[in-house]
Amino acid sequence: MVEQQAQPATGEDTEGRRSTAYEPDPRRWRILAVSLVVGFMSLLDVTIVNVAIPSMQSGLDTSAAAVQWVVSGYALSFGLVLVIGGRLGDAFGRRRLMLIGLTGFVVSSALVGIAPGIELVVAARLLQGISAGLLTPQNSGLIQTLFRGAERGRAFGLFGFVVSISSALGPVLGGLIITLAGSEDGWRWIFWVNVPVGLVALVLVARIVPSEVSSENDDPRLDLVGALLLGLTVLCVIYPLVSLEGGGYRWLVLLAAVPALGWAFVRWERRVVARGGAPLLDVGLLRRTPGFAEGIAVGSLYFTGFTGLVLVLAIHLQTELGLGPLAAGAVLTGFAGGSAISSPLAGRVVNRVGRPLTVAALVVVLLSVVALAVVLPGQDGAGIGWVLTPLLFVAGLGGGAVISPNITLTLDEVPPRMGGAAGGALQTGQRIGSALGTAAGVTAYTVVAASYDAAAGLRAALVVAALMVAASLAVAVRSLRGPSAAS
């Protein structure tokens, strides 16, 4: 089947040259399907271990603080390399980076599964996070290059579906695996299942994803100074946040270095561009790209509220209400179900509706979280599913219509040659938001529960989540006045 040539792209790069004409690749939907499978694996591992923490602590005979680094270490290393991974994909090709990242992901997953002690588990999770950071930006980079117009909105809709569904299904699948494999070693199978799936994905990537999907040549040099400055900036944000969960309040002092490091990164990147070099992230171009900054803020704040909410609910259901991992995960499936419905639909209409779609979706999420804060605390384990699951379903309907349209609107006018780095920046904001949401939610829950009771702690954590979603809504409303509001 021969497809008609699409209209030429109109984006301009930093030298003022127009992008080369776009001709759709007939394999683009198959390439997207493979990349989304890979993306699902890497994003699933962010939350799949949430319900496994008690099992891991018992099986490894270690402290809760040490086991928490199995979750936090992945989030830390994942967030550190996202922009670098995107830039490497822009310069050296998506397939190469996907093969490298998948190999590391498979090896590290196997190492976690066979690890005799917590030290190797944490080290392997750090490697797994680095591998995921190389993989994830390639999704947005491929979509930027392979799709245009309404098709790009549908493709990002599917990507948003994967982002939301992987986060929501993590506790469910984790609970199912632990139930089937046993509480003592079931947590190991959470990681072992990545091995066969990853090996199949390696074959599919090698066969289907082209060695170079971009028609625009890019300077392959890596901006090492920029990578170091950005890495230190992200480290000084994420490390104190993930340390909070283990009581590491002293690391909050690192946050004071963030403004200076961020300023140094921006100045350096501008200097690289002025000299005609290849920046890690062309901050000037991205700053001028309509909707980019607002989209990062909307996504980061939304993930701050959403991620903390899911983790606190998983903890409360198991530790306070006595539900097993599978039952706790099943109760949380409502969000995944709602997201599964709304994400693809939102991706189809976002080009016509624009930013008002995310505003309406955020209102739905906010009202759902407020309702949870009002009616959920005090419910017992026997009847909580009848209350929690429907409200999470409604929240999922809103959440699915936040993530995919926001990705589309944020990256819509980014030049394809910077699709990976820009997607990495967007994902970095989401990872920072996830780390902040986890730290804020768990801290609010534990501190208030210690002073009052678990119901009060749950309400406090839900209020924190609602405030973060409200902040995301405020940014989205403000962006309605900008040029990105319309399609």
Side-chain angles (χ1 to χ4, degrees), residues 86-375:
R87 166 62 187 151
L88 290 172
D90 291 337
F92 296 103
R94 311 291 173 205
R95 184 174 73 175
R96 183 176 300 176
L97 265 293
M98 292 176 76
L99 291 174
I100 293 172
L102 264 175
T103 300
F105 197 84
V106 168
V107 170
S108 57
S109 296
L111 287 175
V112 176
I114 65 174
I118 189 63
E119 295 82 6
L120 181 55
V121 170
V122 173
R125 279 287 280 177
L126 290 170
L127 175 60
Q128 192 182 39
I130 292 172
S131 302
L134 296 178
L135 286 171
T136 304
Q138 312 317 324
N139 287 281
S140 57
L142 282 169
I143 292 172
Q144 288 288 97
T145 304
L146 290 170
F147 300 94
R148 295 290 189 276
E151 276 198 346
R152 181 180 287 179
R154 292 197 292 273
F156 274 127
L158 293 173
F159 180 46
F161 166 75
V162 167
V163 172
S164 56
I165 212 75
S166 60
S167 300
L169 279 182
V172 183
L173 295 179
L176 178 62
I177 292 171
I178 291 173
T179 300
L180 293 176
S183 59
E184 184 174 351
D185 289 324
W187 64 269
R188 297 183 183 274
W189 285 96
I190 287 176
F191 302 99
W192 279 335
V193 295
N194 288 332
V195 176
V197 176
L199 291 175
V200 172
L202 271 170
V203 174
L204 292 175
V205 169
R207 293 186 60 182
I208 297 177
V209 178
S211 58
E212 185 54 72
V213 298
S214 175
S215 60
E216 302 173 44
N217 294 324
D218 204 347
D219 191 330
R221 292 174 296 173
L222 179 63
D223 176 13
L224 295 177
V225 175
L228 176 63
L229 289 172
L230 181 62
L232 288 173
T233 305
V234 175
L235 179 67
C236 288
V237 173
I238 296 183
Y239 187 80
L241 296 177
V242 299
S243 297
L244 277 178
E245 300 162 43
Y249 298 100
R250 66 186 182 277
W251 294 109
L252 289 174
V253 69
L254 291 177
L255 293 173
V258 172
L261 288 169
W263 176 84
F265 171 71
V266 172
R267 286 293 301 271
W268 175 261
E269 294 303 284
R270 289 175 175 170
R271 182 181 179 184
V272 171
V273 172
R275 291 181 171 182
L280 180 70
L281 186 65
D282 189 343
V283 292
L285 176 62
L286 297 181
R287 178 175 52 82
R288 296 189 299 272
T289 299
F292 187 78
E294 295 92 339
I296 289 181
V298 169
S300 301
L301 290 167
Y302 172 76
F303 269 79
T304 302
F306 161 70
T307 308
L309 180 149
V310 172
L311 179 58
V312 168
L313 287 175
I315 293 172
H316 183 77
L317 291 174
Q318 292 183 85
T319 60
E320 296 299 328
L321 301 185
L323 274 65
L326 179 58
V331 170
L332 299 175
T333 55
F335 193 95
S339 297
I341 294 172
S342 61
S343 290
L345 295 176
R348 289 180 177 273
V349 301
V350 63
N351 289 92
R352 297 195 301 271
V353 180
R355 183 59 74 185
L357 178 60
T358 57
V359 170
L362 282 166
V363 170
V364 173
V365 176
L366 179 59
L367 293 176
S368 301
V369 177
V370 170
L372 284 170
V374 172
V375 304

